[in-house]
């Protein structure tokens, strides 16, 4: 597949994990969505990233759309390790948690942190670039603690966050945490269950490429790539 | 099913249409989400509406989760009229458009209009109630025109908005337009293709209950329930 994305947007990282877990090769293309390239807008008027091409057909826009597509099209190749359970209520729980991370956590935590600390440095000033908004950062830093406790409550009561099996929800959550951790904004001390769960995710081969991503002007937190942090 | 909802939130109307199209009986319970009832928060910490119970299992939170569940669980009962196509790229297009209406249109148009003009009258002032924010209304009224043109471009090039068949995307879009139309905020003159498409939707039996909804203190626009408007 050809995947238009930005390496520090959590939904794009989620998509990369989904593809890697299915052993689907992806050519990654950085899409500076703030430039709203006419060819990009024409096929994807919501400017949603990731946007993936699988062959000649129309692009798949957004991580949730891509997730369902990959499961339907390629999930059968890994029946014992399928990332979407078969029970209808468990499927609903996986989707609830995926949306939690691609939408709610993104809006309240990862999106503001990444926008203020990474994207605004890359964007030209006429496209929204500039100095970080300290009020937005403060609110995101407050929100992250409540989110850690919620994730902790899932991690402690269940084997994986959506239940007994490893699912798309674990990948969406880990992708979101990984950008927060890159920026040194993850309160690991707040909940040991979250840390233990994240360590399992971080050790998966699918995760490795994410750990070598580097933002142009922002260095990763010292333990970012450590499997034993 | 028992469906916790608010009659003027577009994603809740989408859910009601989905259930009616599948001939699933629903007991509707109005959930004043702004009160954040402890029992509601406990099972649905994102406070997402609609929230539906199908039997004794955990609730299904959010219109997108419910849509997938209904299709997987009850879609086979109507093979010739299934609202999710079988081609993987067409499924992706249906989901892209459903999210367009439950998320983007909701954020930019329907959500602000309904919040400012209906919900704020119902909410106590300590929960966000009060006078409408005229700046928010102005922005939503600007946004609705561009959205009409986009929907028009779909309606004119395709038989139904996601392609050749009637799908969940038509229901999500029509649900969103119906609240805007109730408030007299739909610029029907902007695009005749949108009007012709909406007329087809409005004539479906599943739509009828929506047309008799009344907000406590806001009357519907004069043509709201007219099939020939």
């Amino acid at each position: 597949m050809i995947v238009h994305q930005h390496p520090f947007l959590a939904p794009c990282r989620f998509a990369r994990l989904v593809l890697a877990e299915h052993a689907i090769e992806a050519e990654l293309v950085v899409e500076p969505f703030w430039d709203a390239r006419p060819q990009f807008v024409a096929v994807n008027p919501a400017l949603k990233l990731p946007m993936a091409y699988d062959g000649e057909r129309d692009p798949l826009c957004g991580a949730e759309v891509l997730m369902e597509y990959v499961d339907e099209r390629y999930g059968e190749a890994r029946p014992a390790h399928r990332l979407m359970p078969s029970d209808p209520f468990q499927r609903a729980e996986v989707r609830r948690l995926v949306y939690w991370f691609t939408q709610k956590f993104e809006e309240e935590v990862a999106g503001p942190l990444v926008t203020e600390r990474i994207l605004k440095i890359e964007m030209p000033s006429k496209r929204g670039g500039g100095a970080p908004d300290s009020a937005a950062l403060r609110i995101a830093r407050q929100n992250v603690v409540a989110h850690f406790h919620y994730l902790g409550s899932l991690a402690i009561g269940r084997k994986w966050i959506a239940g007994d099996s490893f699912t798309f929800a674990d990948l969406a959550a880990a992708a979101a945490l990984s950008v927060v951790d890159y920026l040194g904004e993850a309160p690991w001390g707040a909940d040991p269950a979250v840390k233990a769960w994240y360590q399992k995710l971080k050790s998966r081969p699918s995760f490795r490429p994410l750990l070598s991503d580097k933002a142009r002007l922002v260095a990763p937190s010292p333990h970012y790539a450590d499997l034993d942090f």
Side-chain angles (χ1 to χ4, degrees), chain A:
Chain A
M1 291 196 198
I2 297 170
V3 184
H4 292 246
Q5 50 87 53
H6 187 288
F8 287 91
L9 287 179
C12 297
R13 291 187 157 210
F14 171 42
R16 288 162 66 196
L17 293 174
V18 166
L19 297 177
E21 289 283 342
H22 289 78
I24 296 168
E25 270 189 57
E27 180 191 328
L28 302 179
V29 179
V30 175
E31 179 73 50
F33 60 89
W34 52 83
D35 286 339
R37 288 189 305 114
Q39 305 94 312
F40 178 53
V41 178
V43 291
N44 187 357
L47 307 184
K48 267 214 173 184
L49 290 183
M51 172 178 86
Y53 286 93
D54 190 18
E56 302 294 312
R57 299 276 300 265
D58 286 338
L60 306 154
C61 301
E64 303 91 338
V65 165
L66 185 64
M67 165 189 92
E68 302 284 356
Y69 173 88
V70 166
D71 182 63
E72 291 167 358
R73 200 106 200 252
Y74 300 102
E76 283 177 16
R78 35 174 296 156
H81 307 280
R82 202 153 178 178
L83 297 176
M84 186 66 93
S86 54
D87 174 77
F89 288 92
Q90 284 174 19
R91 293 168 77 85
E93 179 66 351
V94 168
R95 291 185 176 115
R96 181 182 76 84
L97 289 171
V98 166
Y99 302 157
W100 181 284
F101 286 98
T102 58
Q103 294 166 27
K104 190 174 171 65
F105 186 89
E106 188 62 17
E107 201 180 300
E108 297 177 357
V109 180
L113 291 177
V114 169
T115 301
E116 300 303 330
R117 294 196 48 200
I118 297 182
L119 301 185
K120 276 185 162 181
I121 299 180
E122 299 185 13
M123 291 169 171
S125 60
K126 67 175 194 293
R127 298 290 188 181
D133 174 340
S134 57
L137 286 173
R138 194 170 56 245
I139 295 169
R141 284 169 182 153
Q142 283 164 0
N143 291 340
V144 72
V145 178
H147 274 281
F148 257 64
H149 288 307
Y150 181 57
L151 185 53
S153 73
L154 298 171
I156 206 150
R158 297 169 167 182
K159 195 171 163 203
W160 297 95
I161 69 165
D164 284 341
S165 60
F166 179 67
T167 70
F168 287 115
D170 295 285
L171 298 180
L177 257 58
S178 76
V179 295
V180 175
D181 191 38
Y182 183 94
L183 291 168
E185 305 271 8
W188 293 116
D191 201 311
V194 175
K195 187 171 173 176
W197 163 84
Y198 186 65
Q199 256 165 341
K200 289 192 290 183
L201 267 289
K202 214 173 169 178
S203 311
R204 295 182 78 87
S206 65
F207 222 85
R208 215 163 296 149
L210 274 52
L211 299 178
S212 54
D213 280 342
K214 292 273 187 300
R216 211 162 37 161
L217 292 162
V218 183
S221 62
H223 59 268
Y224 174 65
D226 278 0
L227 296 184
D228 195 21
F229 57 106

